[in-house]
Amino acid sequence: MLADERPVWDFPRSPTGAAGIVEAAVAHGLSEADCVRGTGLSRAELDDDDRIIEARQELEVARNVVGRSGGLPGLGVAAGLRYTLGSAGGLGFAMLSSPTLRDAMAVATRYLTLSSAFVRITVEEAGTRAVTVFDGTEIPADVRTFLVKRDVASAWQMIRLVLGDEFPWADVVVGLTPDTEGCRALAEVFAGTELVAARRAVTVSIPHELFDKPLPQADPRTAAMCERQCLDLLDRRQRRRGTAAMVRALLLRDPSAMPTMDAAAQSLSVDPRTLHRRLARESTSYRALTAETRQSLAIELLAATGLTVSEVARRLGYSEVAAFSRAFTQWTGTPPSSYRRA
């Protein structure tokens, strides 16, 4: 991947995937506050299916959970199993009603940006078998194993729903990589299949005659209707993303060193004047977005963590605590020390 290319997972998404990670982590003894620390996300936002969040916010949720849990082996799988047909929405029903599994996987890869996936999913031909590859090499190394397990578990759950209980699962061969093959929870997800070692990516290999066999709930009209819904949702997400959302994503990448407007414009491949005009059309400005982002993160860090005021100031890029205190008081009407005590 070239330095100026975005990774395959860097697209806006529903908070469903992040919410599943938080719920699985809380069930394993972590606190919700620790899971969402530094992400700018609240419980209400995680529960709002109409909201769109940035991939890097979900990535930070995963990073918090991995750090706090010490990399608990079954946690990624547990998060993935919380992803249901309902979570996938129109995409899930489009897959379920597809003519064959090949068609269902084509729909899944075509509309992958409607999911919460971080892995790259492709289908390759290998002799008499079709091999679905779940490639996580573009995922940051510190959360790669966790998110691969999460994505593979959720995808496999969808595949089982699509194929039904009568499918000859013993004919399926699953390849697990060295960092996943020792996970008992993941092996249990693939119960009934043949498990083998894979070198680079998790794979699911199915004979062509089964990959192209009619699905039990195939329905061309329903499939066409659901695909239209997917197209409509993609269009609405693109319209809602806008320049302001892309700027917020840049600011959230490193709150301690937020880019200048010139640097942000360069990252977005526009000149500063164009960026200013586009933000003005969306009734905001770069300065306002910077303040809003710092404000929401400051409130969250003071309310949900044990960080001191000076530590919060440093994390938000302030060289002096006094400057942070003045800004926070201007935002909220309350000094940060008083807000934290309250």
Side-chain angles (χ1 to χ4, degrees), residues 255-270:
S256 66
M258 292 183 180
T260 63
M261 183 173 175
D262 287 353
Q266 185 176 5
S267 295
L268 297 175
S269 301
V270 298

Side-chain angles (χ1 to χ4, degrees), residues 36 53 76 101 145 189 206 232:
V36 299
I53 68 171
L101 180 58
T145 298
V189 167
I206 298 177
D232 180 61

Side-chain angles (χ1 to χ4, degrees), residues 19-339:
I21 294 174
V22 172
E23 290 164 6
V26 169
H28 282 74
L30 277 69
S31 74
E32 184 176 293
D34 283 340
C35 295
V36 299
R37 176 172 47 84
T39 65
L41 296 173
S42 66
R43 179 73 258 177
E45 289 169 324
L46 288 174
D47 291 337
D48 184 357
D49 292 337
D50 291 327
R51 179 172 289 275
I52 298 300
I53 68 171
E54 295 298 327
R56 294 181 185 277
Q57 291 176 285
E58 185 172 339
L59 189 74
E60 198 60 32
V61 170
R63 192 164 275 141
N64 288 340
V65 168
V66 170
R68 291 284 178 172
S69 68
L72 194 64
L75 194 49
V77 175
L81 294 179
R82 290 178 179 270
Y83 198 78
T84 64
L85 189 64
S87 304
L91 175 58
F93 289 105
M95 293 177 63
L96 189 67
S97 55
S98 293
T100 67
L101 180 58
R102 184 184 298 278
D103 295 309
M105 294 308 300
V107 168
T109 53
R110 191 156 58 244
Y111 299 106
L112 191 64
T113 55
L114 294 180
S115 73
S116 295
F118 279 80
V119 296
R120 182 188 293 273
I121 301 177
T122 56
V123 177
E124 303 174 354
E125 301 299 327
T128 60
R129 304 178 76 89
V131 181
T132 302
V133 181
F134 300 90
D135 185 354
T137 54
E138 293 182 34
I139 303 174
D142 60 331
V143 289
R144 183 178 300 148
T145 298
F146 175 86
L147 286 172
V148 167
K149 290 177 183 176
R150 193 280 301 263
D151 288 353
V152 168
S154 60
W156 184 249
Q157 185 157 259
M158 293 294 298
I159 290 173
R160 290 197 73 97
L161 286 171
V162 167
L163 294 178
D165 294 334
E166 302 304 316
F167 188 82
W169 295 105
D171 293 330
V172 176
V173 178
V174 176
L176 298 180
T177 54
D179 58 344
T180 59
E181 61 187 3
C183 178
R184 180 180 301 175
L186 191 58
E188 290 175 354
V189 167
F190 291 113
T193 67
E194 180 184 351
L195 300 180
V196 299
R199 286 185 297 177
R200 190 177 67 89
V202 175
T203 58
V204 175
S205 171
I206 298 177
H208 281 152
E209 63 269 21
L210 296 178
F211 204 64
D212 295 316
K213 182 180 178 180
L215 293 177
Q217 299 190 61
D219 185 333
R221 290 186 178 180
T222 301
M225 179 188 69
C226 290
E227 184 153 0
R228 286 196 298 272
Q229 291 176 348
C230 290
L231 282 169
D232 180 61
L233 181 55
L234 273 180
D235 180 61
R236 283 188 282 122
R237 283 194 181 180
Q238 183 61 37
R239 290 200 306 269
R240 288 173 61 183
R241 181 165 172 77
T243 303
M246 290 189 284
V247 169
R248 287 192 187 95
L250 287 175
L251 297 173
L252 284 166
R253 288 183 181 181
D254 185 1
S256 66
M258 292 183 180
T260 63
M261 183 173 175
D262 287 353
Q266 185 176 5
S267 295
L268 297 175
S269 301
V270 298
D271 62 72
R273 289 183 180 180
T274 301
L275 177 58
H276 176 78
R277 287 196 302 270
R278 290 180 181 178
L279 291 176
R281 285 200 296 267
E282 296 179 20
S283 302
T284 189
S285 67
Y286 191 81
R287 187 174 185 176
L289 290 172
T290 302
E292 289 171 12
T293 304
R294 282 193 171 125
Q295 178 182 350
S296 62
L297 288 174
I299 289 173
E300 179 192 343
L301 291 171
L302 287 170
T305 72
L307 297 176
T308 65
V309 172
S310 61
E311 288 171 332
V312 172
R314 186 172 64 254
R315 290 197 178 200
L316 296 180
Y318 288 89
S319 57
E320 297 180 358
V321 177
F324 169 65
S325 296
R326 285 194 299 271
F328 190 89
T329 303
Q330 185 177 3
W331 297 330
T332 66
T334 305
S337 55
S338 300
Y339 188 92

